[in-house]
Amino acid sequence: MKGRERVPDWEEALQTLRDQFLRGAPERFGRIETALGRLENDCSDTDALCSLRAEFHALSGLGGTYGFPQVTRLGTEGETQCDGRLTAGSRPSAADIAAWKLLLDGLRAGVGRETPDRAVESQTLSAAPRVLLVSNDREEEAFLRLVLESAGYDLRTVSPADRWERETNTFSPDLILIASSAAGPRPNGLPDSPVRAHRPDGPPILVLAGEDEHAGYVAAGVDHLVKPVPPGLLLFRVASRIERARAKSPS
């Protein structure tokens, strides 16, 4: 079946994922409330601050993916504020916690404001390409799997704790796709080991980065896209990176 003939199935599957995001939103908001409660009891609780940052980060990406721009904006704002405290090694103040509670109120309101889904573009390659996805967010993974497998990619997923290098050797991917959430908070803005250990003769790497991480990746010369990433742009970049790598490989 050709790519454009799959669009109706894609749209139905994307709506299913969007519905799952909406059903799961109250649980995410509950985790934010729990983290805020822990910080109110002990503002030195770094684990709670990291958990709060992770939830804001996830909402920042997923909100844009599923058509909730206010969720993306507020999630990014919360993530940036948490990163500031983690980078400085300072404790959040009562004012910080009050501001994050207001962000939570805005996030809850934001999921009720719907926008149309994005259009889908189809990208094809001459042979079934293999993509190794490094991710620890199940919702993000589900979305990326839908996008890539619908376009004919052979996708394998590992979490950051898994032996991604072993998978690279056994799966022989044409590209390694890294969701930046897999690396957790990074004050220097750089991704974890898959990028640090990347060899020039290895498969190309593409990172899906938060807006606040853009400058760090640019300075490091890391190929990346800033989330939220429209499906068509993701497919275009993945296809072009694989084609460029294949063109450079000896025949």
Side-chain angles (χ1 to χ4, degrees):
M1 183 180 293
K2 296 182 179 179
R4 293 196 178 278
E5 294 174 347
R6 283 196 296 265
V7 169
D9 292 337
W10 156 277
E11 291 176 345
E12 181 178 348
L14 183 58
Q15 183 59 48
T16 298
L17 289 175
R18 192 168 184 267
D19 291 343
Q20 290 175 355
F21 166 72
L22 289 173
R23 288 196 298 271
E27 183 177 346
R28 280 194 181 274
F29 298 152
R31 291 197 293 268
I32 291 176
E33 279 188 322
T34 297
L36 290 173
R38 288 171 58 186
L39 288 170
E40 282 185 312
N41 291 330
D42 180 5
C43 62
S44 66
D45 189 340
T46 303
D47 287 342
L49 184 56
C50 287
S51 297
L52 183 64
R53 185 264 183 197
E55 294 299 338
F56 280 139
H57 177 91
L59 288 166
S60 173
L62 293 170
T65 296
Y66 297 127
F68 299 95
Q70 179 172 318
V71 171
T72 291
R73 179 177 60 80
L74 296 177
T76 299
E77 183 178 342
E79 179 188 7
T80 301
Q81 292 170 0
C82 291
D83 275 339
R85 288 300 185 187
L86 289 166
T87 301
S90 58
R91 300 178 179 182
S93 65
D96 289 328
I97 296 172
W100 291 332
K101 287 183 176 181
L102 291 176
L103 286 182
L104 177 58
D105 291 340
L107 287 166
R108 285 188 165 120
V111 296
R113 300 180 182 181
E114 301 188 3
T115 60
D117 290 334
R118 298 183 178 92
V120 178
E121 294 181 21
S122 174
Q123 299 290 332
T124 60
L125 289 168
S126 55
R130 295 178 298 276
V131 174
L132 182 65
L133 172 63
V134 183
S135 173
N136 65 354
D137 188 299
R138 287 182 294 176
E139 289 182 75
E140 186 173 45
E141 176 191 340
F143 173 75
L144 293 171
R145 180 174 295 280
L146 173 63
V147 172
L148 293 168
E149 290 186 343
S150 295
Y153 289 87
D154 183 4
L155 186 69
R156 182 175 296 182
T157 303
V158 296
S159 74
D162 288 332
R163 298 178 180 177
W164 67 269
E165 193 167 13
R166 184 183 66 181
E167 291 293 339
T168 300
N169 294 330
T170 59
F171 185 51
S172 298
D174 295 292
L175 179 136
I176 299 176
L177 182 64
I178 304 170
S180 63
S181 59
R186 295 174 309 286
N188 62 359
L190 292 176
D192 262 357
S193 54
V195 168
R196 296 184 187 278
H198 184 243
R199 304 185 311 272
D201 61 343
I205 284 178
L206 178 63
V207 178
L208 303 182
E211 185 175 354
D212 61 309
E213 300 165 325
H214 171 66
Y217 286 115
V218 170
V222 177
D223 193 9
H224 66 286
L225 291 170
V226 176
K227 298 187 289 186
V229 182
L233 176 59
L234 174 64
L235 292 175
F236 173 79
R237 182 65 72 85
V238 168
S240 63
R241 290 293 287 115
I242 292 176
E243 289 286 17
R244 276 162 40 200
R246 286 179 174 176
K248 293 179 180 178
S249 298
S251 56

